[in-house]
Amino acid sequence: MKSWMQFLVLITSITSTSALLASGGAEGGGSQMSPVTNAKWKAECSSCHMLYHPGLLPERSWGKMMGGLDKHFGENASLDPATRDEITRFLVTNSADKSDNRRSSRINQSIPANAAPLRISETRYFTSKHDEISPVTFKRKSIGSAANCIACHQGAEKGNFSESQVKIPR
Ligand code: HEC
Ligand code: HEC
């Protein structure tokens, strides 16, 4: 009788753990990225474009980007060293190769180990997920470029790219 009860408790805890993982909550393991945030990142990395979730690129990409902010896609996005280091730590801690959600893992797997791309929109994962969208669509006034995820994915800044939240604007 006693061991039967222990068995039941075990089964119940396994079931609730996988339900939690499937829901993709802040505990990770699901398909959505955790809604992580940092005040300095939010203030400094959203003045020119949307906030790119740290789970979209691996540590080596963020390291390279944060080491060259004076030449950031043709812009000078330099920061004082303390701010830069805090944002780098935040990005690295939550980077695609450190996260256990499915999307971050797949982005990471689509990038060769010796490559450190600075553009999410040029990773193999991205191109494979958007191969049905024509270049003309990305250039629409309401969108601008493939880099403007939030034009089509409402939850992009929170790391939510679920199909139910995708809407391509006219
Ligand atoms: C002074 C303006 C400016 C600031 C500040 C800035 N960026 Fe950018 N960033 C750009 C421009 C311009 C691009 C290229 C956008 C495009 O091609 O549509 C870009 C592109 C990017 C991309 C590539 C998007 C893609 O997939 O193509 C990432 C990632 C990025 N920035 C991260 C950051 C982070 C992290 C910070 C904060 C440390 C930051 N940016 C601050 C101007 C800025
Ligand atoms: C022009 C609109 C548009 C833009 C801009 C865009 N996407 Fe998408 N994205 C889509 C559509 C449409 C799909 C396919 C949805 C589906 O049917 O699964 C998709 C699929 C995805 C998926 C896969 C979802 C899944 O569960 O299979 C991810 C992840 C994603 N996009 C991330 C991004 C990121 C990151 C950016 C910016 C760097 C971005 N997207 C920019 C329209 C867009």
Side-chain angles (χ1 to χ4, degrees):
M1 186 60 185
K2 195 152 173 253
S3 65
W4 169 242
M5 287 295 282
Q6 283 169 341
F7 178 68
L8 255 186
V9 168
L10 181 69
I11 289 296
T12 313
S13 69
I14 288 173
T15 315
S16 51
T17 305
S18 32
L20 187 70
L21 295 179
S23 72
E27 306 300 319
S31 68
Q32 299 310 331
M33 297 170 195
S34 306
V36 290
T37 194
N38 169 280
K40 296 222 166 78
W41 166 68
K42 236 174 143 170
E44 304 294 347
C45 303
S46 69
S47 48
C48 303
H49 48 64
M50 60 165 275
L51 276 169
Y52 295 106
H53 193 284
L56 290 167
L57 286 172
E59 170 173 0
R60 57 190 184 281
S61 291
W62 292 126
K64 189 174 163 192
M65 185 179 295
M66 297 303 285
L69 285 179
D70 55 330
K71 294 188 191 74
H72 181 77
F73 301 91
E75 301 272 342
N76 184 349
S78 297
L79 295 168
D80 67 83
T83 307
R84 182 200 58 207
D85 292 350
E86 181 180 330
I87 295 175
T88 305
R89 269 195 305 276
F90 165 74
L91 292 169
V92 164
T93 306
N94 300 293
S95 60
D97 46 342
K98 301 266 176 3
S99 309
D100 57 359
N101 72 82
R102 272 200 301 282
R103 287 205 177 98
S104 291
S105 306
R106 286 191 191 141
I107 291 170
N108 188 42
Q109 286 158 15
S110 85
I111 301 171
N114 60 355
L118 299 183
R119 282 191 183 275
I120 299 133
S121 54
E122 284 173 359
T123 60
R124 196 154 42 78
Y125 176 86
F126 180 91
T127 45
S128 75
K129 288 290 184 185
H130 300 85
D131 58 356
E132 284 171 15
I133 302 174
S134 89
V136 180
T137 305
F138 282 125
K139 288 203 190 83
R140 280 182 194 165
K141 243 195 175 132
S142 53
I143 302 170
S145 82
N148 194 19
C149 327
I150 201 164
C152 305
H153 300 277
Q154 280 176 15
E157 291 186 324
K158 295 192 179 71
N160 186 333
F161 296 94
S162 74
E163 287 170 43
S164 59
Q165 286 203 36
V166 180
K167 189 164 182 279
I168 303 178
R170 298 252 130 230

